[in-house]
Amino acid sequence: MTVDSESLLSNPLSSSVRAEVRINRATAKYVNKSEKFRNVDRAYNNQFCQTYSHRLHALEPMIIQQAKDKHGPDIKIRLVSELREESEAERKEDILVVGTLFKQEENRPSILKEYAEQSEDQVDMPEAAKEKYTSETDHLILEDDTMRVRLIGNVEPEYFVNGVIVGAWGREAKGGNFRVRELIYPKIPGPKTEGEDVSLVVVSGLELVGQEHGEYLEAIQLAADWICGSAGGPSDQDMASRVERVVFAGNCLAESTRNKEDSHKAKYLTQNKDAGSLGAIKQLDELMAQLAG
């Protein structure tokens, strides 16, 4: 059969080819729901404790379900405030405690600590810059809406940051600690899709500079050719045909295109001056035109 070139991601190899594989671009229903993130009132007097609390309550059922799948439906779940006091005997059964991780770092800068250590007759000496703020004395604390407890046992603080919602599976230990056998994470359900399977391409770090010989220019063009179906064989085109949408996730322009001095000047002083990013924006526009065409 003869297939029109418009139904392919790229033109047929030659005019003499009579049979071509039909490869159509995948489509999907799309609704832009990003409006709530635009024109947001920048209020800096809000605290983030409610955000952590909402996130904890949203992910807690998923963690509990994961724990039941691993250790049985009759597991015991406790709040941090329900843990035994350190003067009582150590519990002999494993339980689940769900909360937010907080990483205690002694080397982390703290303005409150610096202010408390200063005195009126003390000369402020600049503290030497540290190569890193982590140390072997760092430890993890699990916090819920009631209290907090220090985690010991099968935990490695160097692999965690603040704000991670986890379930600690283990038992109380002497000294008011909680000995962890296993950390359980929420299993996020996959998105519900209708119709054929499609792919989403996320692009970032292009670092365009507006010159013909940019650092990543050849790789960027190769990526654009692959997405458009102009590079590779039939198997590559079949994979590229599933790309339904391309998202540019930032850092499209290089740091060198930003003139920080002009940003602090009055507009009338720079109105007749070409922006350093003009060439880079033109490159980005040409790239998007290829993908949209």
Side-chain angles (χ1 to χ4, degrees), residues 23 31 58 77 80 94 106 118 139 181 211 261 271 286:
I23 304 177
V31 178
I77 305 167
V80 176
D94 290 333
E106 295 183 2
Q118 290 179 356
H139 59 271
R181 289 183 53 190
Q211 300 176 1
E261 294 181 359
Q271 60 182 359
E286 293 175 350

Side-chain angles (χ1 to χ4, degrees), residues 75-273:
I75 61 173
K76 294 184 178 181
I77 305 167
R78 297 286 186 270
L79 298 174
V80 176
S81 60
E82 295 174 345
L83 301 180
R84 300 287 180 87
E85 297 293 335
E86 55 184 88
S87 58
E88 297 187 24
E90 183 180 359
R91 191 189 296 268
K92 300 300 181 181
E93 59 185 352
D94 290 333
I95 59 175
L96 177 70
V97 182
V98 182
T100 305
L101 285 182
F102 175 77
K103 188 174 183 179
Q104 186 71 44
E105 296 174 297
E106 295 183 2
N107 294 336
R108 185 173 58 182
S110 172
I111 186 61
L112 297 178
K113 182 179 179 181
E114 294 177 4
Y115 182 79
E117 293 177 350
Q118 290 179 356
S119 59
E120 296 181 357
D121 56 348
Q122 181 180 358
V123 178
D124 295 338
M125 297 296 294
E127 187 178 358
K130 299 179 180 179
E131 295 183 359
K132 61 179 182 179
Y133 296 123
T134 59
S135 66
E136 296 181 357
T137 60
D138 296 345
H139 59 271
L140 295 178
I141 293 175
L142 188 71
E143 182 181 78
D144 61 9
D145 292 334
T146 60
M147 288 182 65
R148 51 170 46 188
V149 65
R150 179 174 176 175
L151 302 180
I152 61 175
N154 188 23
V155 289
E156 298 178 284
E158 61 269 24
Y159 294 113
F160 292 93
V161 296
N162 292 335
V164 179
I165 310 297
V166 299
W169 176 255
R171 62 185 63 176
E172 297 100 323
K174 294 180 180 179
N177 301 319
F178 189 87
R179 186 175 301 279
V180 178
R181 289 183 53 190
E182 179 187 4
L183 289 179
I184 300 176
Y185 304 93
K187 183 178 180 180
I188 308 300
K192 297 181 180 179
T193 58
E194 298 180 358
E196 57 183 329
D197 294 335
V198 297
S199 299
L200 175 70
V201 172
V202 180
V203 181
S204 66
L206 300 181
E207 299 290 339
L208 297 175
V209 296
Q211 300 176 1
E212 294 183 359
H213 302 287
E215 184 176 0
Y216 308 113
L217 203 56
E218 293 183 0
I220 293 171
Q221 186 59 56
L222 180 61
D225 292 340
W226 185 88
I227 295 173
C228 295
S230 301
S235 60
D236 296 299
Q237 289 200 358
D238 179 67
M239 186 181 300
S241 69
R242 301 182 185 278
V243 177
E244 195 274 335
R245 193 164 298 271
V246 179
V247 175
F248 289 85
N251 290 342
C252 292
L253 306 185
E255 183 72 23
S256 59
T257 63
R258 306 167 192 170
N259 193 329
K260 297 181 179 180
E261 294 181 359
D262 290 345
S263 63
H264 298 288
K265 295 181 180 179
K267 291 184 177 180
Y268 71 90
L269 295 176
T270 59
Q271 60 182 359
N272 295 324
K273 184 178 179 180

